[in-house]
Amino acid sequence: MFMLPRYLHPSFSKLKVMPKKTTPVDTRHYSRIVVDGLKQTPSRAMLRAVGFVDADFDKSQVGIASTWSNLTPCNMHIDELARLAAGGVEAAGAKAITFNTITVSDGISMGTPGMRYSLVSREVIADSIETVVGAQGFDGVVAIGGCDKNMPGCLMALARLDRPAVFVYGGTIRPGAENRDIVSVFEAVGGNAQGTVSEQQLKFVERTAIPGPGSCSGMYTANTMASAIEALGMSLPNSSAQDAVSSQKRDDCARAGAAVVNLIKLGITPRQILTRRSFENAITVVIALGGSTNAVLHLLAIASSADVKLKLDDFTRIGKRVPVLADLRPSGRYSMSDLIAIGGIQPLMKTLLDAKLLHGDCLTVSGATLAENLRHVAPYAEGQQIVRALRDPIKKDSHLVILSGNLAPEGAVAKITGKEGLRFAGKARVFNSEEDSLQGILGGKVQAGDVVVIRYEGPKGGPGMREMLSPTAAIMGKGLGQAVALITDGRFSGGSHGFVVGHVSPEAALGGPLALVRTGDGITIDAECREITLQVSAAELKRRRKSWVPPKPYARRGALAKYASSVSSASLGAVTDLEQAIHVAKSW
C-alpha cells in the first residue's frame, strides 16, 4: 500500500484542520448516489472489476484527472505524477480512480494548420473532465496539467463542477545546452533565414534545446498559468515552482492527494476559493512575473466558469499599481529553473502581500488563507538578480496593456515590457494568414518601420486563435525586434516578445476594423495612452466596409466548425459556453 512520508502526512503538513461545522459534511455526497443501495448493485459489480473491495464503497471517491501523453515533453511524465497523487488520496483514507483527458502540443503544431486545435483543446479538456466527474459521481478531483491549454482547461472544469479539488502543475523543464529552450529554436530559424545562424548551428540547437520532461522553461504560458493558479489558491504552496523531474514535484503530488481528502472533510469547494479577490491576486502575480498575454484570455475564461465578474478593464486597473519585478524569459534573462533555485514565487508573493498588493484573506486548497500560507516564508537571499525589489522594478506598472481605439473597439492585449519602447507608429503590412506572414517575413517583404497585420486568425476566423510565435520569432531572428510591430486578432505564445498586440476585437472574420486595413495605412500603437489607432478616416472605413466580403469558413464540419459556431469574443475569454459568457458580461 502507498504510504505518505511522515513529513507529508496531513497532520504534519500545512493543511488546515478547520473547526467542525455545525452541519456535518457529507463526504460521499456524489459517490453514494452511484454505489449505495440495492438498485446500484450493477454499478458496484462494474467497480469490483477495476479493483474495488467492500471497504472502498464506504469511502469518498476522488477522480485523478491526468493529462498524460507521450506526444509532448510537457506531459510525458504525468502518468507517474498521477499515480503519486492517487497514492496520496488512498493514504488519506479515500478511494482514487484515475482517468485521462487529451492534450495537444503548441510547440509541435506551431506555425501549422494543427495549431487551430490548440485553444479548442482547452474547451475539450474542460468538457471531458466535467463529463467524467459528473458521470461517475466523484466526491473530489485532483487535476494534473503540464501544458498551456490543459491547465486552464482543468481549472474551468473544476470551477464548473464545484466539488473539492486541487490542481497540480506537472513542473518546468530544465534548460538545454547553453541555457537554450524552445524559443531559442524558433529564433534560430529566423537567424538562419537572416544568415547569422548556420545550418550546423541550427541543427545543434534543435538537438539540445529540449532535454527532457516538463513545460517550456521561461515565464511562458505554462509557467505563467501555473503561477496564476497558485495565486488563485487552487494549488498547494510552491506547486508552480518545481522542476518536472524532482523530489519536490513528487512530494507535491502526494500532498495534493491528501489535500483533496481534507477539502472533502471540510466541505471546501472551488467556488469558495475562486472569488473576485483571488482573481485579482492572480492578475497581480502574473504582472509581477512578466507573464504571458494568454493569462488574460485564460483568467477571463476561468472566471466565467466560476461565475466571477472579471473583465479586461480589471487588468488595466490592477496594472496601474503593480510593477514588473521578475527578469524572466522571454523578455528577460532567466529561466523558471533559476527562479526555482532562489525559492520560487512564494517570496515574491510574500513581498506583494506585505506591500498590500495581494488579498491575504483569500482561502486556498491548503484549507488556510493565502496570508497563513505565506506567514513563515523567508525573503529571497541578498544579491540574487532574478526578482527585483519593489523600489527598483523592471517596469513601474504592468507589461500587459489593454488597448482600445478605432482598430480595436472591444479591446486588444499588448505585451509591452518597456524594452520595446512605449509607442510605435508605422505603415501596415497586411497578411491574411499566419503562413503568408511568415513567408513575407522570412522572404524580406517586412522592413523596418512596418506594422505587420495578421488577420482572420481570431477565435471564429482561424478558427482557434492560433499563436503567432513563428512570425514573432522570425522577426527577432531577422534582427527586426526593435524596428517592427505586429498586431493580430490571433494570440501569442508566452515565448513571443517584441512590440506585439493580440486579441484584437472584434476580430476580422466578424467584420471588425482589422478586416478593413490595407497595406500602407498608418497605424499608431500608444501604450501610455492605451490606444491603437488606424490612421484612416471614418468615411473611408465606411466606404471600404461596403466592399468587404467575409471569408469562407475554414472548416464546415467537425470540432473546428463546432468551435467556430459557439465561441465568444477574445474580450470575453474565447469561451464556448457563450450564454454563460454573455450572462457574466451583462452583470458587470
Side-chain angles (χ1 to χ4, degrees):
M1 177 183 291
F2 179 95
M3 295 296 292
L4 279 173
R6 179 178 173 82
Y7 68 94
L8 289 177
H9 193 274
S11 61
F12 293 91
S13 72
K14 293 182 180 179
L15 298 180
K16 186 81 166 182
V17 180
M18 300 178 75
K20 290 184 178 180
K21 297 184 177 181
T22 54
T23 303
V25 174
D26 183 359
T27 60
R28 297 180 55 239
H29 179 75
Y30 298 98
S31 61
R32 71 170 65 255
I33 298 171
V34 176
V35 300
D36 284 9
L38 182 65
K39 71 181 180 63
Q40 295 308 123
T41 301
S43 303
R44 295 193 297 275
M46 295 282 283
L47 288 169
R48 289 181 189 279
V50 298
F52 273 59
V53 296
D54 285 346
D56 293 330
F57 295 112
D58 294 323
K59 297 175 181 177
S60 303
Q61 291 186 25
V62 176
I64 310 295
S66 169
T67 57
W68 172 84
S69 78
N70 66 355
L71 63 81
T72 169
C74 309
N75 296 67
M76 63 188 285
H77 62 303
I78 286 178
D79 55 338
E80 179 188 5
L81 301 187
R83 286 192 291 272
L84 291 165
V89 165
E90 302 209 340
K95 179 64 177 176
I97 305 171
T98 302
F99 65 96
N100 247 69
T101 184
I102 67 160
T103 194
V104 301
S105 171
D106 292 0
I108 295 171
S109 63
M110 195 75 69
T112 75
M115 187 64 189
R116 289 183 169 88
Y117 288 92
S118 171
L119 193 57
V120 176
S121 76
R122 185 189 74 179
E123 310 303 303
V124 175
I125 291 161
D127 290 350
S128 65
I129 294 174
E130 178 194 351
T131 299
V132 174
V133 174
Q136 299 306 123
F138 297 144
D139 302 299
V141 191
V142 176
I144 309 174
C147 202
D148 296 10
K149 306 311 166 302
N150 55 51
M151 298 167 69
C154 287
L155 263 291
M156 290 164 68
L158 300 183
R160 293 177 194 170
L161 289 159
D162 199 33
R163 303 181 189 191
V166 177
F167 177 80
V168 176
Y169 178 40
T172 189
I173 197 171
R174 290 168 178 162
E178 299 179 23
N179 219 28
R180 291 191 175 99
D181 60 18
I182 185 61
V183 176
S184 307
V185 185
F186 280 97
E187 293 185 358
V189 172
N192 180 256
Q194 182 71 1
T196 57
V197 176
S198 69
E199 293 286 344
Q200 185 177 4
Q201 290 172 320
L202 183 61
K203 183 63 70 174
F204 178 76
V205 172
E206 174 189 332
R207 289 173 171 166
T208 60
I210 315 293
S215 299
C216 300
S217 63
M219 190 48 64
Y220 311 145
T221 302
N223 283 318
T224 296
M225 288 311 301
S227 302
I229 292 167
E230 182 173 333
L232 280 170
M234 284 301 297
S235 60
L236 291 174
N238 225 34
S239 181
S240 69
Q242 295 163 341
D243 286 323
V245 181
S246 66
S247 60
Q248 291 80 12
K249 181 48 63 185
R250 292 170 61 86
D251 292 346
D252 182 42
C253 294
R255 293 185 68 237
V260 76
V261 177
N262 188 50
L263 293 173
I264 292 171
K265 292 174 181 177
L266 296 173
I268 296 175
T269 65
R271 291 198 184 189
Q272 295 171 252
I273 296 170
L274 294 171
T275 64
R276 181 173 171 80
R277 287 164 72 85
S278 73
F279 278 96
E280 291 179 347
N281 285 346
I283 293 170
T284 297
V285 169
V286 166
I287 292 169
L289 289 168
S292 166
T293 54
N294 279 318
V296 178
L297 195 73
H298 296 325
L299 287 173
L300 288 171
I302 297 166
S304 179
S305 293
D307 209 13
V308 169
K309 301 172 184 177
L310 193 71
K311 54 184 177 178
L312 285 175
D313 288 348
D314 291 315
F315 290 84
T316 298
R317 175 178 55 82
I318 294 168
K320 289 179 179 179
R321 61 188 181 89
V322 178
V324 178
L325 299 177
D327 189 13
L328 297 169
R329 295 176 181 172
S331 57
R333 295 175 292 169
Y334 296 99
S335 71
M336 191 65 181
S337 289
D338 295 323
L339 181 61
I340 290 168
I342 64 167
I345 73 167
Q346 290 275 295
L348 170 64
M349 291 174 69
K350 182 66 159 58
T351 297
L352 296 169
L353 178 67
D354 290 345
K356 302 188 185 309
L357 294 173
L358 290 179
H359 303 296
D361 59 346
C362 290
L363 188 61
T364 75
V365 293
S366 72
T369 66
L370 182 70
E372 289 170 329
N373 287 343
L374 296 172
R375 180 174 297 160
H376 301 296
V377 172
Y380 293 119
E382 290 290 331
Q384 61 83 24
Q385 302 294 314
I386 300 168
V387 179
R388 300 268 193 95
L390 279 168
R391 66 180 181 276
D392 181 33
I394 293 171
K395 190 171 184 284
K396 65 181 177 61
D397 54 9
S398 180
H399 65 300
L400 298 175
V401 181
I402 308 302
L403 304 172
S404 60
N406 71 341
L407 196 49
E410 293 179 6
V413 181
K415 187 176 185 179
I416 309 294
T417 65
K419 297 177 181 179
E420 312 84 357
L422 297 173
R423 190 176 187 277
F424 193 100
K427 299 294 184 182
R429 179 74 59 181
V430 179
F431 300 97
N432 287 336
S433 70
E434 180 188 4
E435 288 85 355
D436 288 349
S437 73
L438 187 59
Q439 186 176 359
I441 294 164
L442 296 177
K445 287 185 179 180
V446 173
Q447 301 293 322
D450 283 349
V451 178
V452 177
V453 175
I454 307 176
R455 63 191 179 192
Y456 301 118
E457 292 287 3
K460 286 183 179 291
M465 209 176 175
R466 288 192 288 179
E467 293 180 343
M468 301 294 131
L469 179 56
S470 293
T472 59
I475 286 169
M476 287 293 173
K478 293 275 284 184
L480 294 170
Q482 299 292 322
V484 166
L486 188 151
I487 66 175
T488 180
D489 51 7
R491 57 195 175 90
F492 297 107
S493 161
S496 289
H497 56 124
F499 212 110
V500 297
V501 181
H503 309 199
V504 174
S505 302
E507 62 177 286
L510 293 178
L514 199 67
L516 309 178
V517 180
R518 294 180 180 175
T519 293
D521 287 346
I523 294 176
T524 303
I525 306 165
D526 191 326
E528 290 188 306
C529 296
R530 298 184 178 87
E531 293 180 349
I532 180 167
T533 306
L534 178 63
Q535 305 296 344
V536 175
S537 69
E540 171 61 14
L541 291 177
K542 185 176 181 180
R543 188 183 66 80
R544 291 182 187 181
R545 184 171 298 283
K546 289 179 180 178
S547 61
W548 177 73
V549 178
K552 293 181 180 178
Y554 178 84
R556 295 185 178 276
R557 59 176 62 86
L560 292 179
K562 285 189 286 186
Y563 180 86
S565 69
S566 61
V567 70
S568 73
S569 165
S571 63
L572 297 176
V575 295
T576 51
D577 191 348
L578 187 55
E579 187 172 324
Q580 169 66 7
I582 293 170
H583 164 72
V584 173
K586 284 182 176 178
S587 68
W588 289 342

